[in-house]
């Protein structure tokens, strides 16, 4: 069974803090997507990775294939980073996404 | 480049009524997905199209939900009749093709069934 587990479910941080959200996945998932969803808003794709590390601005995503684990890091967090962050595993045959539960992040000024 | 378009953005109906949602994917994207996201949960795939063919509809409640993508471009998702538990955000996404590809999401349609 394909599964994706995220932690923590909720996270509160002070502006400027370094933030890490973790994601573990099961066999059968060949790539990981990190997505961002603002309240009432649509979903924005942040990263898709199947190996190594990707960086975009203050966001960094890493994946360890052997351990089936991925992390999303936010450096110098800002209140506008407050959102739900979702990791989703992708199966290689159809591209179907298996979603984690999401992490609700609140960054306080 | 225009993103994934969805309409309407919001819809309120009474139970047992019918409703339809429309999605226009990014131009040239062969794969289109419909997801249901119930409040507080992650999205759940309802149906995936590759061009005008269905790839996966295993989680689509076929007694009341239907979807089509007749010309392999835009798509319509219908619920008939609606139940209270159908209240959710319905998200459409598209990708260039199936397999490991980035998916681009539309703004969603928030459905409230009273």
């Amino acid at each position: 069974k394909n599964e994706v587990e995220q932690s923590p479910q909720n996270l509160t941080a002070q502006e400027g803090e370094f933030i890490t959200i973790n994601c573990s996945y099961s066999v059968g998932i060949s790539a990981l997507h990190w997505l961002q969803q603002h309240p009432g808003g649509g979903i924005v794709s942040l990263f898709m990775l199947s190996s190594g590390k990707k960086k975009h601005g203050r966001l960094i995503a890493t994946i360890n294939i052997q351990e089936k684990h991925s992390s999303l890091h936010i450096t110098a967090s800002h209140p506008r980073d407050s959102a739900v962050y979702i990791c989703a595993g992708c199966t290689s045959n159809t591209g179907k996404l298996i979603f984690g539960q999401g992490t609700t992040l609140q960054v306080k000024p | 480049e225009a993103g994934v378009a969805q309409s309407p953005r919001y819809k309120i109906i009474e139970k047992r009524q019918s409703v339809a949602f429309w999605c226009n994917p990014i131009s040239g994207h062969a794969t289109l997905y419909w997801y249901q996201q119930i409040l507080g949960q992650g999205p759940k795939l309802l149906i995936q199209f590759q061009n005008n063919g269905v790839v996966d509809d295993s989680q689509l409640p076929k007694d009341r939900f239907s979807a089509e993508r007749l010309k392999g471009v835009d798509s319509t998702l219908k619920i008939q009749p609606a139940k209270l538990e159908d209240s959710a955000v319905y998200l459409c996404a598209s990708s260039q093709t199936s397999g490991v590809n980035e998916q681009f999401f539309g703004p969603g349609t928030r459905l409230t069934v009273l």
Side-chain angles (χ1 to χ4, degrees):
Chain A
K1 180 182 175 184
N2 295 331
E3 288 185 344
V4 175
E5 298 282 338
Q6 259 182 266
S7 64
Q9 274 197 309
N10 295 284
L11 185 54
T12 301
Q14 288 297 130
E15 183 173 358
E17 286 185 357
F18 180 82
I19 290 164
T20 296
I21 300 170
N22 295 300
C23 181
S24 297
Y25 57 94
S26 63
V27 174
I29 287 171
S30 56
L32 243 291
H33 294 248
W34 281 101
L35 310 167
Q36 181 192 56
Q37 187 171 34
H38 283 279
I43 292 177
V44 174
S45 177
L46 298 175
F47 298 103
M48 184 186 72
L49 63 166
S50 54
S51 66
K53 174 180 171 179
K54 287 188 176 180
K55 185 176 188 291
H56 186 261
R58 295 180 295 105
L59 302 178
I60 304 166
T62 63
I63 189 167
N64 184 319
I65 298 169
Q66 286 73 28
E67 295 185 4
K68 296 184 178 50
H69 180 269
S70 178
S71 294
L72 176 69
H73 306 285
I74 305 175
T75 61
S77 60
H78 190 277
R80 64 175 175 266
D81 297 326
S82 298
V84 176
Y85 292 84
I86 305 170
C87 73
C90 181
T91 58
S92 58
N93 49 354
T94 65
K96 176 180 177 177
L97 293 182
I98 312 294
F99 291 85
Q101 315 93 305
T103 295
T104 302
L105 170 65
Q106 184 182 23
V107 182
K108 295 183 175 180
Chain B
E1 178 184 278
V4 177
Q6 287 189 249
S7 68
R9 290 294 310 277
Y10 305 92
K11 189 74 177 178
I12 301 174
I13 61 172
E14 295 188 348
K15 60 183 180 184
R16 291 187 288 273
Q17 286 188 319
S18 302
V19 65
F21 312 127
W22 175 81
C23 172
N24 196 27
I26 291 174
S27 177
H29 279 194
T31 309
L32 186 148
Y33 308 82
W34 282 104
Y35 294 95
Q36 179 194 58
Q37 186 176 24
I38 293 172
L39 186 65
Q41 300 180 18
K44 179 184 84 170
L45 179 68
L46 292 176
I47 189 167
Q48 176 183 347
F49 291 96
Q50 179 73 10
N51 297 309
N52 62 350
V54 175
V55 174
D56 184 348
D57 64 355
S58 57
Q59 297 192 86
L60 186 74
K62 298 181 185 64
D63 57 333
R64 298 184 299 106
F65 287 64
S66 64
E68 58 184 21
R69 194 186 183 199
L70 295 175
K71 296 181 179 178
V73 182
D74 58 341
S75 176
T76 302
L77 176 69
K78 295 180 182 177
I79 307 175
Q80 180 179 14
K83 292 186 175 181
L84 296 177
E85 59 260 36
D86 298 332
S87 295
V89 175
Y90 291 84
L91 295 160
C92 179
S94 71
S95 62
Q96 284 194 319
T97 187
S98 62
V100 180
N101 279 286
E102 186 174 6
Q103 292 187 24
F104 296 85
F105 288 81
T109 297
R110 183 177 297 275
L111 173 68
T112 302
V113 182
L114 302 176

